[in-house]
Amino acid sequence: MDSSHSHAHSASHSDLHNDPHGAHVSGEEHTHPTWSTYWKVALILTLITAVEVWVYYVPAIVASRMFVPGLLVMSAVKFAIVVLFYMHIKYDHKLFRALFVGPLIIAMLTLLALMFLFGHLSFGHVGPVVPLGH
Amino acid sequence: MSATSHYTSTGLDNRKIAIWAFIGSECMLFASLISTYLVYKGRSITGPFPHEVWKDPSTGHVFKPILNIPVTSMSTFVLLMSSLAMVLALAAVQNKHVPKRTLGDKILGSSKLWLFMTALLGATFLGFQAFEFTSFVHEGLTIKTNLFGSSFFTLTGFHGAHVTAGVIWLLTLLMIDFKRGLTPDDALNVDIAALYWHFVDVVWIAIFTLVYLIR
């Protein structure tokens, strides 16, 4: 059984009740993922998680400069895959995208600003981390 | 449950706009908690520490690194699979009226099965978290022990509370499904629950990397 369907919406009020995604724009084409896409996404998420954990146990990789960036990239890919395919933001209205991505950008900028402010990140010399109170 | 939606100037369902706005605000909540954890990372004066061995100078007791990566990897896998079960539950509700001819179709099209599986996997994740918290306390790390303990328990505790709320929400939907059956008219209600559940999952994806894997 394939749940894949593609339909052009006509923006009538009655349709709004049956629109499972609540995104309803005249003439907008919506294509939703198939069940096989959902299973493939789950497999990819599992594989990336397995690689993340494997990397954690390889001392040579842990010691390398690529350890932290590599983990961050893999995590970001997993995050994006879930948001795009499971939260179907890829297929939804742009307002929903804005409501999620806007605060996410603010949140990430705040996080980065705090990391710089407290000396965990630096543009130049990175000093030793000093315990608070010393 | 299947409350009718009102016409809005955007042409979008107001409940869907509300859940996305809520998820956006939750992004900032969890960013503040994660920031707090990262800011205090490596600044604890006393152990136990997440990735390092610590010898208590007063007692001479040696504390091994407290994070249990194999257990947390399992719980991460469980939560990821719960997201798969959730999308299958939503697809099953959306396609309720599509005839199911084979056993495979019937299994894939059972919203009760997938809602139950999602709630069960969520509860399993909470079980892992309860085990982790209990073992940490037994090993000498509480919310009052050091900066790591305070920020760690606050961050993961908040996430666990969100998972608990999600499991209750899913069980409510499951109860409705057993009582009167969920139909495609209820798809938006299930979709909103699914969005919340996937958000809880993506937050854990970030926590797993930032707290558990990065040393």
Side-chain angles (χ1 to χ4, degrees), chain A:
Chain A
M1 190 169 141
D2 193 349
S3 72
S4 172
H5 57 280
S6 161
H7 48 260
H9 291 296
S10 62
S12 69
H13 188 202
S14 61
D15 277 356
L16 199 60
H17 298 287
N18 295 322
D19 180 9
H21 295 287
H24 211 88
V25 177
S26 181
E28 191 174 332
E29 189 83 9
H30 286 259
T31 307
H32 299 291
T34 62
W35 265 317
S36 71
T37 307
Y38 291 144
W39 287 96
K40 281 176 198 160
V41 165
L43 182 66
I44 292 166
L45 290 171
T46 306
L47 288 175
I48 296 174
T49 306
V51 172
E52 281 180 320
V53 176
W54 173 74
V55 157
Y56 179 87
Y57 286 106
V58 181
I61 298 175
V62 173
S64 80
R65 294 169 66 93
M66 289 311 294
F67 176 62
V68 174
L71 281 176
L72 289 176
V73 167
M74 283 190 277
S75 179
V77 168
K78 280 165 67 183
F79 188 100
I81 287 174
V82 173
V83 171
L84 287 171
F85 293 97
Y86 283 177
M87 295 173 88
H88 43 77
I89 210 168
K90 190 176 176 220
Y91 309 94
D92 250 335
H93 193 270
K94 60 184 176 186
L95 177 65
F96 300 144
R97 221 170 298 160
L99 282 170
F100 179 67
V101 176
L104 185 66
I105 290 170
I106 295 170
M108 290 178 78
L109 289 176
T110 308
L111 194 151
L112 281 173
L114 284 166
M115 296 298 284
F116 275 104
L117 192 63
F118 284 86
H120 287 274
L121 292 174
S122 166
F123 288 115
H125 170 72
V126 182
V129 173
V130 181
L132 293 178
H134 284 244

Side-chain angles (χ1 to χ4, degrees), chain B residues 4-56:
Chain B
T4 56
S5 53
H6 301 283
Y7 174 77
T8 60
S9 58
T10 56
L12 302 169
D13 192 287
N14 45 16
R15 291 168 292 172
K16 191 81 181 267
I17 297 173
I19 189 68
W20 275 111
F22 173 70
I23 287 172
S25 71
E26 289 276 278
C27 274
M28 292 192 274
L29 167 73
F30 277 103
S32 69
L33 294 170
I34 291 171
S35 300
T36 307
Y37 176 84
L38 292 177
V39 160
Y40 287 145
K41 189 174 179 178
R43 298 194 181 194
S44 293
I45 296 166
T46 60
F49 298 127
H51 300 286
E52 304 84 18
V53 175
W54 179 66
K55 187 178 178 182
D56 187 344

